Amino acid sequence: MKYVLSTAVAGLLSLSGWSLAQSQPQQAQQAQQLQQKQTQVRAQTPAAPAAASSTTTSHTQQQVTRFLWANATVYFLLTDRFLNANPRNDHAYGRQGDGAALRSFMGGDLAGVTRKIKEGYFNALGVNALWITPPVEQVHGATDEGSGRSYGFHGYWAKDFTRLDASLGSEQDLRELVDTAHRHGIRILLDVVMNHTGPATERDALWPDSWVRLDPVCTYQDVPSTVSCALVKGLPDLKTEVMTDVSLPAVLAEKWKAEGRYEQEVRELDTFFARTGLPRAPRYYLMKWHTDWVRRFGIDGFRADTVKHTEPELWKELKALASEAHSDWKRSNPAKVYFDEPFYMTAEVYGYSLQQGQQFRMDGGSQINYFQFGFDSLINFGFKSDAKGDYETLFSSYAHQLHGPLMPYSVLNYISSHDDGQPFDPLRQQAMAAGTRLLLSPGAAQIYYGDETARDLQVAHASGDAKLRSVMNWDDLKKNRRVQHSYVQEILRHWQKLGRFRQLHPSIGAGQHQQLAAQPYTFSRTLQQTDWQDQVVIALDLPEAQPVSITVAAVFADGSRVRDSYTGYTAIVKAGKVSLPRAGIVALIAQDQ
């Protein structure tokens, strides 16, 4: 059976490759169209803040097309907590604000994210990918899993994987978000769940035993007690190990009938299973539903949830189906294609750290290489701890791993997240230093919404992971409130300067690292490709507003004209050094074009 299934998936890949075969004139025409789209992206991308806007237009244009996922800056947001642009959808399905503190829907929606894209908020941060939590329809009711009455505002309690949750907006809102992001040079990563459905509530019934189990609850002693079990009490675990036909859950079929779309959904399922030759097993229903969002809206990649609690091979199958859907969307929407990268997948393998290389140690001691199951990168749970060390140990060890044992894969670093109760800086006492370490470290960077504005991670009246999920602090930013040692607008400007410089220079996340001087701490990043190269010099913890001399000899020759993107100053290299008349706390030095 496994051989037959893998053959079916391999057939999908072959089919995708065959269907994309084109003549040279067609390829040339599409390449020209793509170049025109990228030019439009450059025209619509707002300029960086004045102090950080240091490269010339030609240099910016040259760099914008050189996106590498290994250097991506991914902005992760909980849609419900980001920005409320349409109060009319705040109480969809009759939901009320009767949850425990920060456990009800709070009004954020897809239109709010789109508004901030249009305003240039993400471009000013150097963001080139948005990771949004699952937008699918959530359970309508609430339940108490131990921290108080909770709704599925976070997106991980699905009721119907085929429908958008009305609290977040409409399908047109999602389409506008994706299209607008693409026009601004931003890719969309969709959070997908293969492990569980939403819990039963007073308004939501469980799916049948052929689909889910409630027992046993995971004990994490070995692989079976980590995979074939419910994550927490009351959370229905999908039986993704089942490889035989199962019928649609009756509760889902009845829902579709009530909405007048049962026949259409069943026709689509019949077509999918006939085309792929896959059995009507739970995992393949979900793969069809998840990849529909790619095929219909042009999603660029998946962030895979709770990966270590599922069978590894299913993710490789999902990657094949999603890649096919991604190609289908591009072929059907040539006027909307702005990027030529293949479909991308990153994974939440809880507890993985970069220092483990490609082998993750599962509960019980067995090892699994998740990179071999369709993932381009893994989320790096170790960064928040590693970032507390000295600069050189952090940077050099990360560069060594990424250019050694981890090649050709990467990691996604973070300092805070939605379910990690031990962030790098829980009290936001080092909000600027956190940005420096995150955005200048080798690897891709994940900004969790509000990292850049010191959003509260210790909400006193909330409990559990709700503390990490407060509403985005737009009012703090507008009023420029003081958080610990800095003002919010000052913190944001720092993150913007670093983020824009990172976006323009792929060598920061993907290049080779070399320390140049210990005092002030100075290093280079260099990236050599077949037809282009990128090189920068960065100095940290400088005496602010004072003259400073920075070593650049190993990177920029005497007589070279360079620019510090943090202050905007230009200088000529003399005797292997650059002299700045008035330093910022950081120097971000690159060739001045």
Side-chain angles (χ1 to χ4, degrees):
M1 177 63 74
K2 287 186 177 180
Y3 174 78
V4 173
L5 291 176
S6 61
T7 301
V9 174
L12 288 174
L13 290 172
S14 299
L15 176 62
S16 178
W18 173 82
S19 64
L20 291 174
Q22 298 168 319
S23 66
Q24 288 183 348
Q26 286 175 313
Q27 291 175 338
Q29 182 180 18
Q30 288 199 353
Q32 184 179 16
Q33 290 173 340
L34 181 60
Q35 186 176 21
Q36 291 172 347
K37 298 293 188 305
Q38 291 170 337
T39 300
Q40 293 173 19
V41 168
R42 292 191 289 267
Q44 295 184 31
T45 299
S53 182
S54 58
T55 53
T56 64
T57 301
S58 61
H59 180 61
T60 301
Q61 291 178 346
Q62 181 186 37
Q63 291 288 352
V64 160
T65 59
R66 289 172 180 165
F67 169 81
L68 298 175
W69 277 108
N71 184 60
T73 301
V74 181
Y75 194 96
F76 168 34
L77 57 87
L78 272 67
T79 307
D80 175 68
R81 300 299 157 93
F82 191 65
L83 180 66
N84 188 352
N86 182 11
R88 294 188 301 275
N89 60 30
D90 286 359
H91 298 289
Y93 313 114
R95 294 176 180 135
Q96 301 299 315
D98 59 353
L102 291 176
R103 291 187 176 277
S104 297
F105 278 80
M106 305 296 287
D109 45 40
L110 297 168
V113 180
T114 303
R115 177 187 294 178
K116 285 300 177 181
I117 298 173
K118 291 179 178 179
E119 290 177 1
Y121 183 80
F122 300 110
N123 288 134
L125 262 175
V127 168
N128 38 35
L130 282 178
W131 155 15
I132 60 174
T133 45
V136 299
E137 185 176 346
Q138 299 294 289
V139 293
H140 294 179
T143 188
D144 187 344
E145 57 177 358
S147 299
R149 183 173 171 81
S150 299
Y151 287 89
F153 66 89
H154 41 66
Y156 298 103
W157 288 355
K159 177 185 183 74
D160 185 346
F161 290 96
T162 71
R163 261 281 164 96
L164 194 76
D165 195 280
S167 290
L168 304 183
S170 65
E171 290 193 354
Q172 180 53 38
D173 290 332
L174 178 60
R175 181 166 285 108
E176 184 180 6
L177 187 157
V178 176
D179 291 349
T180 303
H182 287 172
R183 288 195 300 271
H184 285 74
I186 299 171
R187 294 136 187 90
I188 299 296
L189 291 179
L190 192 68
D191 211 325
V192 295
V193 182
M194 293 286 293
N195 174 257
H196 56 270
T197 66
T201 76
E202 69 277 8
R203 301 177 58 195
D204 306 278
L206 285 175
W207 287 15
D209 292 344
S210 58
W211 276 81
V212 300
R213 67 182 139 241
L214 291 176
D215 296 306
V217 175
C218 296
T219 58
Y220 311 109
Q221 300 302 307
D222 51 24
V223 172
S225 63
T226 302
V227 175
S228 302
C229 50
L231 276 178
V232 296
K233 183 179 180 180
L235 189 64
D237 182 63
L238 283 158
K239 294 182 176 180
T240 48
E241 79 279 5
V242 172
M243 299 300 251
T244 54
D245 291 357
V246 298
S247 300
L248 273 172
V251 64
L252 187 59
E254 291 303 315
K255 177 180 183 294
W256 289 351
K257 289 175 182 178
E259 294 168 350
R261 58 192 183 99
Y262 174 78
E263 290 78 9
Q264 177 64 30
E265 292 292 344
V266 170
R267 277 196 300 271
E268 290 183 10
L269 285 167
D270 290 344
T271 299
F272 171 79
F273 287 117
R275 176 175 62 84
T276 61
L278 297 168
R280 292 174 181 260
R283 67 161 68 173
Y284 298 118
Y285 280 97
L286 265 78
M287 290 184 194
K288 189 272 182 190
W289 296 332
H290 286 323
T291 57
D292 278 351
W293 298 103
V294 180
R295 183 172 280 103
R296 294 178 59 204
F297 295 93
I299 301 299
D300 303 287
F302 285 156
R303 178 268 186 186
D305 183 66
T306 52
V307 166
K308 80 171 187 177
H309 302 286
T310 57
E311 297 74 23
E313 65 272 10
L314 69 80
W315 297 104
K316 192 170 186 177
E317 296 172 334
L318 178 63
K319 179 73 169 292
L321 290 165
S323 296
E324 181 197 33
H326 192 227
S327 296
D328 286 349
W329 178 84
K330 286 183 176 181
R331 188 167 58 253
S332 300
N333 298 272
K336 292 185 176 183
V337 177
Y338 285 80
F339 316 123
D340 59 357
E341 303 103 24
F343 193 78
Y344 180 83
M345 279 178 44
T346 189
E348 179 211 29
V349 178
Y350 203 90
Y352 170 81
S353 66
L354 168 139
Q355 302 302 337
Q356 297 177 47
Q358 294 189 34
Q359 296 294 330
F360 174 72
R361 187 180 184 277
M362 282 286 288
D363 301 294
S366 60
Q367 293 188 326
I368 299 177
N369 185 340
Y370 282 101
F371 292 104
Q372 293 183 353
F373 291 99
F375 293 110
D376 302 284
S377 70
L378 299 186
I379 295 172
N380 177 21
F381 286 76
F383 183 82
K384 62 191 175 70
S385 299
D386 296 339
K388 295 177 181 179
D390 65 88
Y391 291 130
E392 181 57 20
T393 299
L394 172 66
F395 295 158
S396 62
S397 65
Y398 271 49
H400 171 77
Q401 284 290 101
L402 289 167
H403 291 278
L406 269 170
M407 286 188 68
Y409 306 107
S410 189
V411 295
L412 185 56
N413 302 320
Y414 72 88
I415 58 167
S416 72
S417 192
H418 64 313
D419 58 3
D420 190 330
Q422 297 180 313
F424 167 77
D425 180 26
L427 298 179
R428 301 297 197 186
Q429 295 175 318
Q430 305 176 65
M432 294 177 70
T436 300
R437 290 173 181 272
L438 176 66
L439 296 176
L440 298 182
S441 286
Q446 169 203 306
I447 300 174
Y448 183 43
Y449 77 106
D451 281 343
E452 75 282 13
T453 55
R455 178 179 59 84
D456 192 359
L457 296 175
Q458 295 286 315
V459 181
H461 61 283
S463 63
D465 54 18
K467 288 179 174 288
L468 306 168
R469 304 172 179 183
S470 59
V471 175
M472 179 65 178
N473 59 331
W474 297 116
D475 195 53
D476 290 346
L477 178 60
K478 180 180 180 180
K479 296 178 180 178
N480 196 25
R481 292 196 174 101
R482 186 180 181 90
V483 177
Q484 300 292 351
H485 310 298
S486 305
Y487 289 96
V488 174
Q489 291 179 13
E490 176 189 15
I491 296 168
L492 178 60
R493 281 194 297 271
H494 178 70
W495 282 70
Q496 287 173 333
K497 293 174 184 180
L498 296 175
R500 285 286 293 175
F501 190 71
R502 176 188 176 90
Q503 181 188 38
L504 291 172
H505 295 285
S507 62
I508 293 176
Q512 297 282 351
H513 170 86
Q514 180 64 52
Q515 180 178 348
L516 301 181
Q519 191 63 36
Y521 176 72
T522 307
F523 64 91
S524 66
R525 296 280 167 77
T526 57
L527 180 62
Q528 182 70 51
Q529 299 289 294
T530 303
D531 58 343
W532 62 277
Q533 65 178 6
D534 182 48
Q535 51 194 16
V536 299
V537 171
I538 298 173
L540 304 179
D541 295 342
L542 300 177
E544 189 173 13
Q546 297 181 30
V548 66
S549 181
I550 298 169
T551 297
V552 299
V555 182
F556 301 113
D558 282 0
S560 300
R561 184 181 182 86
V562 297
R563 180 179 294 267
D564 169 27
S565 287
Y566 201 87
T567 61
Y569 288 119
T570 60
I572 303 298
V573 179
K574 297 179 180 178
K577 294 182 179 292
V578 168
S579 295
L580 301 177
R582 187 180 174 86
I585 59 174
V586 173
L588 307 171
I589 299 170
Q591 193 82 36
D592 187 34
Q593 300 293 318

